[in-house]
Amino acid sequence: MPYVFDAYGTLFDFNAAVARHRAAAGPDADRFAEVWRIKQIEYTWTHTLAGRYIEFWTLTQRALDYCFERFPSVDRALRPALLDAYLKLDAYPDALKVLQELRARGDATAILTNGSPAMVTSAVEAAGLKGALDAVLSVDAVKMFKPRPEVYALVTAHFACKPADVVFVSSNRWDAMGATAFGFRTMWVNRAKAPDEYPDFPPVAVTDSLTGILAVK
Ligand code: LAC
């Protein structure tokens, strides 16, 4: 059975980019990181709703530039370092082990991400996950972002399977909603213990780590 993972926030810790430069970023570092992510994802939704596509790497840079305007205390000289860090994000400590364990028990593993191909390839290689993944699928193939069903259909097309045959793992509740709506068996990794949302589209399981998904039947 294919296990398909969201990338940013699920396998990769997007807060790691600002965290690596926390001292230089100053007292607004946490809020800066949070708004960077919120704007990055907002831009994917607005463009997709408008029927337009601009790749995720460009939207990531535009969201970062918005944050430099909004938080003038953060030094703009950090821009290249933050973007470079985003291309080499840390994977969560259990990511590699979980992918390897799934494959050892005979399950296929893949990423389905908003990330543009070059961006996600860089992150996968930098985090040492390449050898533990059967496929890396990017929304770039359909030029629209999650949670459009056309995006999740990349998985069923790749594995020539039905939605119900796929386990989809995301730490983003809105992505888990889209995956559930598509018909995947969805597991929500709720590390932050966030309140639940989208009661009409419940995941089959909620875990507090990637490791937790291994125990779900
Ligand atoms: C991704 C974003 C949603 O990797 O985190 O698709």
Side-chain angles (χ1 to χ4, degrees):
M1 168 172 277
Y3 276 68
V4 180
F5 295 79
D6 166 61
Y8 299 98
T10 302
L11 292 177
F12 303 112
D13 180 4
F14 53 74
N15 287 316
V18 174
R20 275 183 215 164
H21 300 280
R22 182 179 303 281
D28 285 331
D30 289 340
R31 190 81 185 109
F32 185 95
E34 190 186 348
V35 176
W36 186 10
R37 172 66 175 183
I38 289 169
K39 282 287 162 190
Q40 176 200 48
I41 296 302
E42 178 188 313
Y43 295 165
T44 65
W45 294 333
T46 49
H47 285 83
T48 297
L49 284 167
R52 300 300 186 96
Y53 178 76
I54 306 282
E55 69 164 62
F56 198 57
W57 184 231
T58 304
L59 299 182
T60 300
Q61 295 180 54
R62 290 180 186 169
L64 179 61
D65 291 334
Y66 171 89
C67 287
F68 281 122
E69 290 283 337
R70 174 133 163 215
F71 300 99
S73 67
V74 181
D75 186 356
R76 260 174 204 277
L78 283 172
R79 189 181 192 277
L82 289 175
L83 288 173
D84 186 59
Y86 213 95
L87 294 173
K88 300 171 191 151
L89 290 173
D90 297 331
Y92 284 98
D94 51 352
L96 180 60
K97 202 188 98 248
V98 167
L99 293 172
Q100 287 172 334
E101 208 151 309
L102 288 168
R103 288 177 107 201
R105 71 187 203 190
D107 295 310
T109 59
I111 283 177
L112 176 69
T113 180
N114 276 345
S116 26
M119 175 182 184
V120 69
T121 300
S122 165
V124 164
E125 285 177 4
L129 302 185
K130 194 177 173 190
L133 286 162
D134 294 302
V136 177
L137 306 173
S138 165
V139 302
D140 200 62
V142 288
K143 309 251 180 290
M144 53 183 83
F145 290 101
K146 298 172 178 179
R148 287 292 308 184
E150 292 88 338
V151 170
Y152 302 104
L154 289 170
V155 172
T156 43
H158 181 85
F159 287 104
C161 67
K162 298 192 190 65
D165 296 332
V166 174
V167 175
F168 188 81
V169 182
S170 185
S171 60
N172 300 294
R173 186 62 185 89
W174 59 268
D175 184 22
M177 177 271 181
T180 301
F182 185 71
F184 289 157
R185 296 189 72 229
T186 304
M187 299 187 192
W188 178 32
V189 180
N190 185 13
R191 291 189 191 88
K193 300 207 184 331
D196 195 16
E197 299 170 277
Y198 307 109
D200 302 316
F201 304 91
V204 297
V206 184
T207 69
D208 57 9
S209 67
L210 288 171
T211 304
I213 70 166
L214 296 172
V216 181
K217 293 277 176 269

